[in-house]
Amino acid sequence: MKNLYKFFSIIIIIIASNSYSFAAEKAEYLKTDWSFKGLFGKFDRASLQRGYQVYTEVCASCHSMKYLSYRNLAEQGGPEFSEAQAKAIAASFEVTDGPNSDGEMFTRPGKLSDKFVMPYENVKAAQAANGGAYPPDMSVLVKARGGGVDYIYSLLQGYEEAPVGVTLDDGVYYNKYMYGNKIRMAAPLSDGLVEYGDGTNATVEQMSKDVTTFLMWSAEPHLESRHQMGFKAIVYLIILTVLVYFSMKKIWSRVESEV
Amino acid sequence: MSDHDYRPKSKVGQWFNDRLPLLTLANHLTDYPTPKNLNYWWTFGGILTFCLITQIVTGLTLAMHYIAHADMAFESVEHIMRDVNYGWLIRYIHANGASMFFLAVYIHIFRSLFYGSYKSPREIIWILGIIIYLLMMAAAFMGYVLPWGQMSFWGATVITNLFSAIPLVGEGIVTWLWGGYSVDNPTLTRFFTLHYLIPFLILGLVVLHIWALHVPGNNNPVGIDIKKPSKDTVPFHPYIVIKDGFALLMFMIVFAFFVFYAPNILGHADNYIEANPMVTPAHIVPEWYLLPFYAILRSVPDKLLGVVAMLSAILILAVLPWLDTSKIRSAVFRPLYKQFYWILVADVLILGYVGAMPAEGLYLLIARVATAYYFLHFLVILPVLGFKEKTLPVPLSITEPVLGGSPNLAAARNKESKIE
């Protein structure tokens, strides 16, 4: 048993040293309490719905979300809009479909099964409209950045006047959390930019938190069932381990040897 | 192997067993006499078998939904994560399973190093193990390419480019490996094919590995030869089965923690960005389990020599049974070797750490010193230690492990030299 303790402490040291090296790399991120962290972490439903509003009214004019469908908005573990609401959201977008029997492409209102409509036809069009920079797809953005949600949350609030001595080209902005501090995206949020339906005060901080929560869900749509199943699985394994431990002790008591 | 005279009780069993002795094999596996003093470090063989089977089962399921095409691979992985029933679970088990597999194999290898399990008469088991380890690295590397993220693409580019260091034919080999003039769709499809093939090669080698183990039987923490079966042994079933089962469950708890609560902590964030040949990531790093060798590769300024050093670092293990000249197996009775063993463990951990850091300044210096020490350990320290070291008295049997004194010591030494 002594050896097993050693084994686990080595694992813990490895993990601890890993996270240390990540933290040491960049400016200290802003912290907030995320409801989806921890053993029983769940999304804050209202925050997800507000986050979708921020995404669709602000981010979606440049950032695509090509792996999500409108039906996801009504699915369990997500923003959980009612099916009627999700249908209405889908129908508010124009989707290109076809070709029809005449061989023509046509547009129609979106359906639940449609993927999120992209703001640009292709990467080149996105670059042309954004001074050469490509606004990344947001479907898995949170998982594609080292700092995860804390990084995105901080970045949205990290716009500052450039310090003396730093010169910025046209269309480049200063952000203290961005790698190299120079970012092509202008500060996307300002107080009161959106009007929340539930009366929540739309401060930059509030919107940053809501939209980051939404991005976490879009990157990990099954996070809630993962946490629920994980807890059950680990409790089950611990009980089984204890039972097997005592069976082992019983069986090994027949021989004069320690186990 | 005392059970070859086994005869099934039933008539049908006898009829079958005379034609295909599967029941004899099953009987051998249950009765297999195992040293009763094996500690928990010996449970990792069973854990590794579990890891291999887990990877094969989850891998087969993933392959039903994955599309090996440069334009669709990344999307199909997202499809698995979002729309396939429990696809996220299967993929996270498979991805973290690779890390768990390597964690277990490193413990298994270092257990062998500590207790001298590679020494006569177990050299073939050891060499088969090294081949399995090499194939595991190949499988893991190619598996990491399949999601077609940024690290997939650039990792594949860096590693395949190593072959260009071979004089004269290097460039040709790289083109041949890629199936074109850069890492692209042909590279992905062949990596997928090989990633599918290699686990079954590993499975075959594991059978040989266990077969070779069952000829001399297990080594043990005391490192002496024991009579089998005897007072020193217990039958594999139920004693070792339940103990391996207990250890496996402990291992599965750690495994489950990663899968359910930290599924991406061992991976690199850049691999969630779709591969883009026009954008090179700031740091290209392999998965954690390959970092020590990556550090050795980068610590040599010359490309060809770097590749040679990296390969030698693995292949040197294959000749370890002949580099270690000591007649005593277990480090328990080798006070000096025990210290060098822990220095080697630290050395490999340091190599792993600097492998993750940029190859410059102090990190590069540390990598060079650690690389030099790695080879020094195997090429100089081990051979010399066998002649110079004053070992402790070795007991005659497991049941009398505390017996010291010169008569036993002399007898133990005699016994050791007889094996030679």
Side-chain angles (χ1 to χ4, degrees):
Chain A
M1 288 309 274
K2 217 176 104 195
N3 285 331
L4 283 176
Y5 289 132
K6 264 192 209 162
F7 166 65
F8 284 115
S9 44
I10 288 171
I11 292 182
I12 288 163
I13 290 167
I14 290 170
I15 295 168
S17 58
N18 245 340
S19 47
Y20 173 75
S21 62
F22 280 127
E25 236 169 49
K26 297 188 185 92
E28 199 63 35
Y29 296 134
L30 299 175
K31 292 274 182 275
T32 186
D33 49 328
W34 299 110
S35 64
F36 48 81
K37 298 237 160 148
L39 285 189
F40 305 101
K42 279 183 171 195
F43 289 114
D44 174 350
R45 223 57 68 193
S47 181
L48 276 182
Q49 296 197 355
R50 289 194 300 269
Y52 172 71
Q53 191 186 345
V54 176
Y55 166 73
T56 200
E57 288 180 16
V58 183
C59 320
S61 54
C62 298
H63 291 275
S64 61
M65 225 178 210
K66 57 182 174 183
Y67 299 121
L68 271 82
S69 307
Y70 294 109
R71 65 181 159 80
N72 296 137
L73 293 172
E75 277 167 10
Q76 220 191 353
E80 295 186 5
F81 287 108
S82 69
E83 198 171 312
Q85 282 173 313
K87 272 184 179 157
I89 288 171
S92 68
F93 292 92
E94 287 267 290
V95 176
T96 308
D97 202 348
N100 62 14
S101 49
D102 298 325
E104 308 280 335
M105 300 302 277
F106 60 94
T107 56
R108 58 164 173 79
K111 292 187 290 197
L112 284 183
S113 56
D114 286 320
K115 297 271 183 204
F116 277 24
V117 173
M118 312 238 278
Y120 302 104
E121 290 276 310
N122 48 53
V123 175
K124 288 280 178 219
Q127 283 174 328
N130 288 283
Y134 169 61
D137 184 84
M138 279 185 162
S139 314
V140 282
L141 191 68
V142 163
K143 290 200 282 187
R145 296 294 180 270
V149 279
D150 292 328
Y151 168 73
I152 304 282
Y153 176 72
S154 306
L155 185 92
L156 288 170
Q157 301 174 65
Y159 285 88
E160 281 179 352
E161 284 294 310
V164 187
V166 177
T167 50
L168 298 172
D169 294 336
D170 223 20
V172 177
Y173 306 88
Y174 187 87
N175 190 306
K176 63 174 169 177
Y177 300 106
M178 180 74 184
Y179 184 75
N181 296 125
K182 290 178 183 174
I183 187 166
R184 293 288 202 124
M185 175 173 72
L189 301 174
S190 55
D191 287 335
L193 186 64
V194 300
E195 198 177 320
Y196 281 139
D198 61 3
T200 308
N201 192 9
T203 59
V204 170
E205 195 185 340
Q206 183 65 42
M207 286 187 285
S208 302
K209 187 169 176 178
D210 291 340
V211 79
T212 307
T213 305
F214 178 72
L215 290 177
M216 183 71 220
W217 167 75
S218 74
E220 279 284 309
H222 299 292
L223 179 137
E224 287 189 9
S225 38
R226 173 154 62 76
H227 284 175
Q228 282 161 12
M229 188 192 287
F231 182 73
K232 284 183 212 156
I234 288 174
V235 168
Y236 173 83
L237 282 171
I238 289 173
I239 294 171
L240 189 60
T241 307
V242 171
L243 292 177
V244 168
Y245 175 76
F246 286 112
S247 317
M248 178 178 76
K249 280 289 186 194
K250 184 97 201 301
I251 289 171
W252 276 79
S253 66
R254 297 178 213 157
V255 288
E256 302 157 36
S257 191
E258 254 188 66
V259 65
Chain B
M1 310 285 267
S2 59
D3 41 45
H4 283 176
D5 45 6
Y6 168 79
R7 239 181 121 59
K9 286 192 190 79
S10 76
K11 275 257 155 58
V12 181
Q14 284 172 18
W15 179 88
F16 182 82
N17 205 46
D18 288 344
R19 282 150 185 82
L20 180 67
L22 273 186
L23 295 169
T24 303
L25 177 67
N27 177 260
H28 162 76
L29 292 177
T30 23
D31 278 1
Y32 173 65
T34 317
K36 68 180 185 184
N37 64 335
L38 295 188
N39 55 34
Y40 282 98
W41 300 114
W42 258 267
T43 59
F44 282 88
I47 287 170
L48 283 162
T49 314
F50 165 82
C51 288
L52 178 62
I53 291 166
T54 306
Q55 290 306 86
I56 289 179
V57 172
T58 52
L60 285 174
T61 322
L62 288 173
M64 292 173 192
H65 302 280
Y66 170 77
I67 301 167
H69 189 286
D71 295 336
M72 287 180 271
F74 191 86
E75 192 184 343
S76 73
V77 171
E78 278 308 310
H79 165 67
I80 290 169
M81 293 297 289
R82 289 162 195 276
D83 297 331
V84 174
N85 289 331
Y86 297 103
W88 58 270
L89 177 63
I90 298 164
R91 174 164 176 263
Y92 278 154
I93 291 177
H94 196 73
N96 285 284
S99 283
M100 293 297 117
F101 205 155
F102 274 94
L103 177 67
V105 91
Y106 281 125
I107 294 172
H108 194 61
I109 291 171
F110 275 99
R111 189 270 291 152
S112 187
L113 290 178
F114 188 84
Y115 294 109
S117 301
Y118 49 84
K119 291 188 199 185
S120 173
R122 296 184 180 82
E123 299 96 322
I124 300 291
I125 312 173
W126 172 256
I127 291 169
L128 284 167
I130 297 300
I131 299 171
I132 293 170
Y133 175 49
L134 270 172
L135 285 176
M136 275 175 65
M137 289 201 274
F141 160 65
M142 289 192 238
Y144 197 56
V145 175
L146 301 186
W148 212 239
Q150 274 289 70
M151 268 312 149
S152 300
F153 182 89
W154 290 98
T157 304
V158 168
I159 301 297
T160 47
N161 252 317
L162 295 179
F163 289 91
S164 70
I166 303 167
L168 302 174
V169 291
E171 295 293 339
I173 288 178
V174 173
T175 309
W176 178 72
L177 284 174
W178 286 342
Y181 296 101
S182 68
V183 173
D184 206 339
N185 197 48
T187 327
L188 177 60
T189 50
R190 66 190 53 189
F191 274 25
F192 179 56
T193 311
L194 293 172
H195 183 70
Y196 205 119
L197 168 72
I198 290 173
F200 296 99
L201 299 181
I202 295 177
L203 189 64
L205 284 163
V206 166
V207 171
L208 293 182
H209 190 67
I210 297 172
W211 185 0
L213 168 72
H214 279 233
V215 176
N218 290 69
N219 183 30
N220 63 78
V222 184
I224 54 168
D225 289 309
I226 50 170
K227 263 187 67 181
K228 288 171 282 259
S230 73
K231 264 202 305 183
D232 286 347
T233 67
V234 289
F236 191 78
H237 185 74
Y239 295 97
I240 304 299
V241 169
I242 188 103
K243 190 172 169 181
D244 276 2
F246 169 66
L248 175 61
L249 283 167
M250 299 275 280
F251 184 79
M252 283 170 78
I253 293 173
V254 178
F255 197 153
F257 171 78
F258 279 108
V259 168
F260 291 108
Y261 291 107
N264 293 309
I265 200 169
L266 297 168
H268 198 292
D270 277 11
N271 228 26
Y272 278 106
I273 305 173
E274 193 169 358
N276 184 352
M278 309 308 240
V279 180
T280 316
H283 300 294
I284 301 174
V285 281
E287 292 271 77
W288 68 267
Y289 39 79
L290 301 176
L291 287 174
F293 299 106
Y294 194 55
I296 292 175
L297 169 77
R298 296 191 305 177
S299 69
V300 182
D302 181 79
K303 189 174 177 185
L304 177 60
L305 291 179
V307 175
V308 170
M310 181 176 70
L311 282 177
S312 317
I314 305 166
L315 294 178
I316 204 169
L317 293 171
V319 290
L320 180 61
W322 296 276
L323 287 174
D324 185 349
T325 50
S326 174
K327 300 233 185 304
I328 305 295
R329 289 198 192 101
S330 175
V332 173
F333 305 104
R334 300 183 61 188
L336 275 178
Y337 172 71
K338 199 193 261 181
Q339 291 175 29
F340 284 114
Y341 169 86
W342 286 112
I343 296 173
L344 180 73
V345 173
D347 187 63
V348 172
L349 288 176
I350 289 168
L351 278 172
Y353 177 75
V354 292
M357 296 294 140
E360 57 199 27
L362 186 62
Y363 292 128
L364 187 58
L365 182 69
I366 295 172
R368 286 184 175 156
V369 173
T371 301
Y373 183 80
Y374 181 89
F375 287 104
L376 189 77
H377 176 90
F378 289 107
L379 292 175
V380 180
I381 295 173
L382 277 188
V384 173
L385 213 54
F387 296 111
K388 298 283 180 198
E389 188 177 27
K390 214 169 145 359
T391 54
L392 303 175
V394 176
L396 272 178
S397 82
I398 293 170
T399 38
E400 311 159 73
V402 282
L403 283 189
S406 46
N408 281 327
L409 176 60
R413 285 271 162 81
N414 272 334
K415 215 166 147 55
E416 286 291 336
S417 50
K418 252 184 252 161
I419 303 161
E420 297 291 306

